[in-house]
Amino acid sequence: MNSEQLIEFLTKLAANPWILLKILFLVAFLIYVAFAVIVVRQVNLMIKTLDGVLNLPLRMIAWIHLLAALIVFVLAVVIL
Amino acid sequence: MPDIFVAKKKPVKTSPPQKTNALAAFIKKPKNINFETQEKKEEIVLFLRRHWITNVPWVLVIVLMLVAPVFLRFFPLLDFLPGRFQFITLIGWYLLTTAVVFEKFLSWLFNVNIITDERIVDIDFPSLLYREISSAKIDQVQDISTKVGGFIRSLFNYGDVLIQTAGTEPEICFEAVPQPGQVAKILNQMMLEEEQEKIEGRVR
């Protein structure tokens, strides 16, 4: 990014300060999506360690949770 | 040569396998539950996890988290934000609440203590993607003590079972398990059986 682009970006930011908040929200939701991926892996590890305890429902909940996190991230990109 | 003395085999009092309720905290001889380090002929005698009452504190926190957005009507903390940001914040809050519920539930469900016919196993998941499995053979168990203290623990009959071992893990603790006296009794019985097996030279 050269100095002109930086100045243009800062001008935009000054005109609409909510852009900065939007970026913060998106970063937070991105971190949440990463967390949801880890939860899926965690559930798989747990089921591998202890087989026979609600395997299918737990896997389903973990994947639905990941899907929800992705949907909310996309929603934040569109709405904000 | 006929044997002069043959010790009578004591019939071991064991209850028939129970129909497994996956959410129970005290299961004798569970069906359809296996753990990763279980050997082929190894049978689970007792399957334990923390008493369900230990979940009450975090359930109360979750209830507070669920109703917290209602209080925003009386204390408009987010009013400085545009409507779209308020909406996304609310969705994010409920997503976070879901994650806390799921994590707490998983922690309760998978932090278990298992007594098999050969050893005791303690499976812990202290944090994300991290697990600890400690085990000790029954014949390495040296001392068993139970700890039940306080009003709630006495009322719901749950407590800690501390097992001193001669293995690499000097102490294994079954935390807040139901019927600690019964657990200690079963462990003692298994230790006696193990000693009997050693005396008779029976090796499985």
Side-chain angles (χ1 to χ4, degrees):
Chain A
M1 185 185 276
N2 58 35
S3 60
E4 279 179 15
Q5 282 174 321
L6 184 68
I7 289 167
E8 193 184 341
F9 176 73
L10 289 174
T11 317
K12 267 187 187 174
L13 204 64
N16 188 2
W18 298 117
I19 289 178
L20 193 65
L21 194 62
K22 179 181 176 174
I23 293 168
L24 286 175
F25 266 67
L26 292 182
V27 169
F29 282 122
L30 208 60
I31 291 170
Y32 194 88
V33 170
F35 165 75
V37 171
I38 291 173
V39 168
V40 171
R41 289 187 61 88
Q42 183 197 17
V43 168
N44 285 336
L45 178 74
M46 285 173 154
I47 287 171
K48 195 180 152 200
T49 308
L50 193 67
D51 185 28
V53 182
L54 303 172
N55 294 1
L56 188 63
L58 289 177
R59 276 207 177 101
M60 275 176 67
I61 292 170
W63 279 104
I64 290 169
H65 177 243
L66 174 59
L67 194 68
L70 282 169
I71 288 171
V72 172
F73 177 74
V74 174
L75 203 67
V77 171
V78 174
I79 290 179
L80 298 180
Chain B
M1 191 176 161
D3 292 330
I4 299 168
F5 173 75
V6 180
K8 280 183 185 174
K9 265 193 180 178
K10 270 189 179 176
V12 181
K13 286 179 190 173
T14 50
S15 52
Q18 290 179 358
K19 198 178 179 186
T20 306
N21 169 13
L23 298 176
F26 186 99
I27 313 170
K28 281 182 183 172
K29 297 201 169 189
K31 282 180 184 172
N32 307 325
I33 292 180
N34 303 299
F35 59 99
E36 198 180 11
T37 54
Q38 187 175 0
E39 284 169 27
K40 269 188 181 175
K41 285 185 178 175
E42 196 174 7
E43 277 180 29
I44 298 176
V45 177
L46 197 57
F47 182 88
L48 302 161
R49 57 168 67 97
R50 277 177 286 143
H51 195 284
W52 63 266
I53 201 82
T54 58
N55 292 324
V56 170
W58 68 260
V59 170
L60 290 177
V61 171
I62 294 303
V63 172
L64 282 178
M65 284 178 82
L66 286 173
V67 298
V70 177
F71 291 103
L72 288 176
R73 286 187 184 177
F74 308 107
F75 307 100
L77 298 171
L78 297 176
D79 272 12
F80 70 97
L81 290 172
R84 60 185 198 278
F85 279 95
Q86 287 184 30
F87 175 67
I88 289 291
T89 306
L90 195 68
I91 292 180
W93 177 258
Y94 282 121
L95 205 58
L96 191 70
T97 309
T98 312
V100 174
V101 172
F102 197 42
E103 277 299 315
K104 290 284 182 188
F105 178 69
L106 284 177
S107 167
W108 174 75
L109 196 69
F110 284 95
N111 283 322
V112 296
N113 309 113
I114 298 166
I115 301 173
T116 73
D117 52 355
E118 285 295 306
R119 59 197 170 127
I120 50 176
V121 185
D122 183 19
I123 300 174
D124 281 323
F125 289 89
S127 62
L128 283 172
L129 297 178
Y130 186 75
R131 69 171 177 189
E132 278 175 11
I133 302 176
S134 36
S135 66
K137 291 212 162 214
I138 296 285
D139 58 6
Q140 285 179 327
V141 174
Q142 291 184 320
D143 188 40
I144 303 161
S145 57
T146 60
K147 209 164 65 179
V148 182
F151 175 71
I152 300 286
R153 286 184 172 224
S154 302
L155 186 67
F156 290 96
N157 189 21
Y158 73 93
D160 301 337
V161 179
L162 300 162
I163 303 155
Q164 305 265 346
T165 76
T168 48
E169 199 72 36
E171 188 175 87
I172 291 177
C173 181
F174 292 1
E175 278 175 49
V177 292
Q179 305 176 43
Q182 181 77 12
V183 175
K185 194 178 166 189
I186 290 170
L187 267 171
N188 274 322
Q189 192 184 351
M190 291 182 69
M191 280 165 68
L192 287 174
E193 281 171 23
E194 201 68 26
E195 276 176 26
Q196 192 73 27
E197 277 182 17
K198 268 188 179 174
I199 292 166
E200 290 172 9
R202 280 189 278 141
V203 182
R204 219 192 68 176

